[in-house]
């Protein structure tokens, strides 16, 4: 009673007539549906758990994790839940032999990881992400996007995104890896 029915402007009559028109319009979708859920009584968290049971039962931990690299000069990804900045690490861009290569290649990864602070930062990020993921799972989050950024999105961020991906995949989690700005 607090809100008008969505068909109020197109179907004449009271609420009961509008609900009947809605049911008729959705009858084919209802007939083809694999699942029917009565949302009258469940709380939002109970409904979320039912939906997770239907659609995320095959996903380890019930959460899809996306790890992505990006370049800050191309903007921070809007979809990111966690953003880590690795611009503080040595930059292969300034090494002529590495400039045109990416963090997908071993010489670039070796250069980035040759600095002691790179190893320390990676261990701290793995510790933090390893701590946070179970908390997000417990809260019922179904998707998590972790973005790692450097200046251009080709070297340091790619290296770290790859290592975080391997870390999470090694834990048996459902994780994907992408490099948004690697071709820019």
């Amino acid at each position: 009673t607090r809100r008008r029915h969505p068909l109020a402007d197109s179907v004449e009559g009271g609420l009961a007539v509008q609900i009947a028109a809605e049911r008729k319009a959705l009858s084919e979708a209802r007939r083809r549906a694999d699942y029917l859920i009565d949302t009258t009584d469940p709380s939002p968290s109970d409904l979320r758990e039912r939906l997770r049971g239907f659609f995320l039962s095959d996903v380890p931990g019930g959460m899809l994790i996306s790890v992505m690299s990006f370049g800050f000069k191309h903007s921070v990804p809007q979809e990111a839940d966690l953003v880590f900045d690795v611009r503080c690490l040595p930059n292969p861009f300034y090494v002529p032999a590495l400039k045109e290569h990416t963090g997908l290649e071993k010489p670039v990864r070796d250069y980035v990881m040759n600095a002691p602070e790179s190893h320390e930062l990676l261990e701290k990020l793995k510790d933090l992400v390893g701590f946070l993921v179970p908390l997000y799972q417990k809260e019922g989050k179904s998707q998590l996007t972790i973005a790692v950024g450097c200046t251009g999105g080709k070297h340091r961020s790619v290296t770290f995104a790859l290592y975080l991906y391997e870390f999470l995949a090694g834990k048996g989690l459902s994780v994907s890896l992408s490099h948004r700005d690697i071709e820019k």
Side-chain angles (χ1 to χ4, degrees), residues 166-184:
E166 289 172 352
F167 167 72
L168 293 165
K171 291 186 162 294
L173 297 168
S174 179
V175 60
S176 66
L177 176 65
S178 63
H179 304 290
R180 188 189 75 178
D181 300 326
I182 200 168
E183 298 296 327
K184 292 182 181 175

Side-chain angles (χ1 to χ4, degrees), residues 13-29:
L15 181 59
V17 173
Q18 294 159 3
I19 290 172
E22 177 185 19
R23 285 186 176 144
K24 183 177 180 185
L26 294 174
S27 64
E28 178 61 15

Side-chain angles (χ1 to χ4, degrees), residues 101-104 150 152-158 181-184:
H101 297 275
T102 73
L104 295 176
C150 64
K154 291 184 176 190
H155 301 107
R156 297 166 291 180
S157 62
V158 171
D181 300 326
I182 200 168
E183 298 296 327
K184 292 182 181 175

Side-chain angles (χ1 to χ4, degrees), residues 38-57:
D38 182 352
T39 60
T40 306
D41 294 322
S43 68
S45 62
D46 291 340
L47 181 58
R48 180 178 62 226
E49 285 307 309
R50 272 197 77 192
L51 291 172
R52 286 172 57 104
F54 287 141
F55 301 110
L56 294 176
S57 60

Side-chain angles (χ1 to χ4, degrees), residues 39-169:
T39 60
T40 306
D41 294 322
S43 68
S45 62
D46 291 340
L47 181 58
R48 180 178 62 226
E49 285 307 309
R50 272 197 77 192
L51 291 172
R52 286 172 57 104
F54 287 141
F55 301 110
L56 294 176
S57 60
D58 295 337
V59 176
M63 183 168 64
L64 303 170
I65 303 172
S66 300
V67 177
M68 69 182 313
S69 66
F70 73 96
F72 277 97
K73 73 179 185 178
H74 304 293
S75 80
V76 176
Q78 293 292 317
E79 66 272 26
D81 298 297
L82 299 171
V83 177
F84 299 115
D85 182 350
V86 295
R87 291 177 291 182
C88 57
L89 302 175
N91 192 349
F93 178 83
Y94 297 110
V95 177
L98 299 176
K99 181 177 182 176
E100 298 303 320
H101 297 275
T102 73
L104 295 176
E105 299 168 71
K106 187 174 181 337
V108 172
R109 286 195 312 273
D110 289 347
Y111 178 85
V112 170
M113 297 310 293
N114 191 41
E117 57 269 23
S118 295
H119 285 280
E120 187 173 352
L121 179 57
L122 180 60
E123 290 308 310
K124 289 181 183 294
L125 289 179
K126 286 169 31 178
D127 185 49
L128 179 60
V129 169
F131 173 75
L132 290 174
V133 165
L135 296 178
Y136 285 123
Q137 289 171 320
K138 183 179 175 185
E139 185 60 29
K141 192 163 180 59
S142 60
Q143 295 181 27
L144 180 69
T145 300
I146 302 169
V148 182
C150 64
T151 305
K154 291 184 176 190
H155 301 107
R156 297 166 291 180
S157 62
V158 171
T159 297
F160 267 67
L162 181 61
Y163 284 125
L164 284 176
Y165 166 81
E166 289 172 352
F167 167 72
L168 293 165

